[in-house]
Amino acid sequence: SVDRWKRFEAAGGAPAEGEAEVYVESARYQARLDGEALADGTLEASIRNVSGFETFLDLGHTSLAVSEATMDGAPAVWGADPQGRVRLQVEEATSRLSARWSLRGRRVLDRLVFDVALVSAMSSRLELTLPADRILESDTGIVESTGVDKNTGTRLWRVELGRRDRCRLLIATEANTEPDGPDAIFADVSAIYSVRPDGLHIQTDFVYSTTDD
């Protein structure tokens, strides 16, 4: 309702006093690789509210494109506060948050890179279905995979993140998983042009980083 949304906006500038007593107990994310994006994603999260009253849960900054959020099957009251942090209205002592999500990656050399920022939770797990010839790597957490599903030609990968809510995922073809150098190289390039009496001067700065850093 409008009144509920107004209460959400009012809470957006400063967290409610009891907000520390409401938290995401566990969160499970599932998706599949579709081109250069993680698509058809689902989120299932268990929420605990021990404050004894209705409040708003600070879910932090997420990089996921989230939609169709529900709480125990009913449309959720949620949105971003002025600082860009996602907040969710929580009424009951225990709740179940469900949502759809997607995330677009970027190609770096022969790999896909996903900078993942999840909802803050006590325990988070990613489950991604990739083509059988793809390998998943993460800069944090525990990565494991199942055997190849011969019917679909896919493999399920799990990333156990624990309380971490951020990770960088790399997806490569199996033949490209053991390079001689760093996993991938990122470059920031800036150029300054200046016109002087003696001609045109160009100053270019290169800043390199790798996924090994």
Side-chain angles (χ1 to χ4, degrees):
S1 69
V2 174
D3 289 341
R4 294 170 68 193
W5 184 255
K6 286 182 177 178
R7 292 200 301 274
F8 164 80
E9 290 182 322
E17 187 175 321
E19 193 172 44
E21 297 178 315
V22 58
Y23 57 90
V24 178
E25 194 170 36
S26 64
R28 180 187 182 192
Y29 302 81
Q30 295 179 301
R32 66 179 181 85
L33 182 66
D34 182 11
E36 297 187 357
L38 297 177
D40 297 332
T42 60
L43 163 62
E44 295 291 334
S46 298
I47 298 175
R48 295 291 303 275
N49 179 9
V50 297
S51 67
F53 52 84
E54 175 185 318
T55 185
F56 283 91
L57 171 61
D58 182 356
L59 298 178
H61 296 275
T62 176
S63 63
L64 309 182
V66 180
S67 63
E68 301 178 31
T70 62
M71 289 283 280
D72 298 322
V77 177
W78 66 288
D81 68 13
Q83 289 73 43
R85 301 182 69 85
V86 177
R87 293 181 180 272
L88 173 73
Q89 185 182 42
V90 180
E91 299 177 337
E92 305 298 331
T94 59
S95 305
R96 190 74 177 175
L97 169 65
S98 301
R100 309 282 297 178
W101 66 273
S102 62
L103 179 65
R104 181 160 295 279
R106 66 184 191 279
R107 187 162 293 281
V108 179
L109 302 179
D110 57 353
R111 302 187 174 208
L112 279 176
V113 179
F114 295 87
D115 290 313
V116 182
L118 304 175
V119 166
S120 300
M122 300 293 289
S123 175
S124 295
R125 170 193 283 184
L126 277 167
E127 297 182 356
L128 304 179
T129 300
L130 309 181
D133 63 343
R134 303 296 178 90
I135 299 295
L136 177 69
E137 299 175 359
S138 175
D139 66 347
T140 189
I142 300 173
V143 181
E144 59 182 8
S145 65
T146 63
V148 175
D149 185 330
K150 295 182 179 180
N151 293 325
T152 62
T154 61
R155 188 195 306 267
L156 177 65
W157 291 81
R158 298 188 184 93
V159 184
E160 296 287 353
L161 292 170
R163 298 190 65 165
R164 305 176 186 89
D165 59 7
R166 294 177 182 272
C167 65
R168 172 172 285 174
L169 302 178
L170 302 177
I171 297 178
T173 57
E174 195 165 12
N176 297 326
T177 57
E178 297 182 356
D180 295 332
D183 287 344
I185 300 174
F186 300 87
D188 291 324
V189 183
S190 62
I192 299 175
Y193 298 84
S194 59
V195 179
R196 302 177 183 175
D198 57 341
L200 175 65
H201 292 255
I202 302 175
Q203 176 182 327
T204 306
D205 295 326
F206 295 87
V207 178
Y208 294 98
S209 62
T210 73
T211 52
D212 294 335
D213 292 342

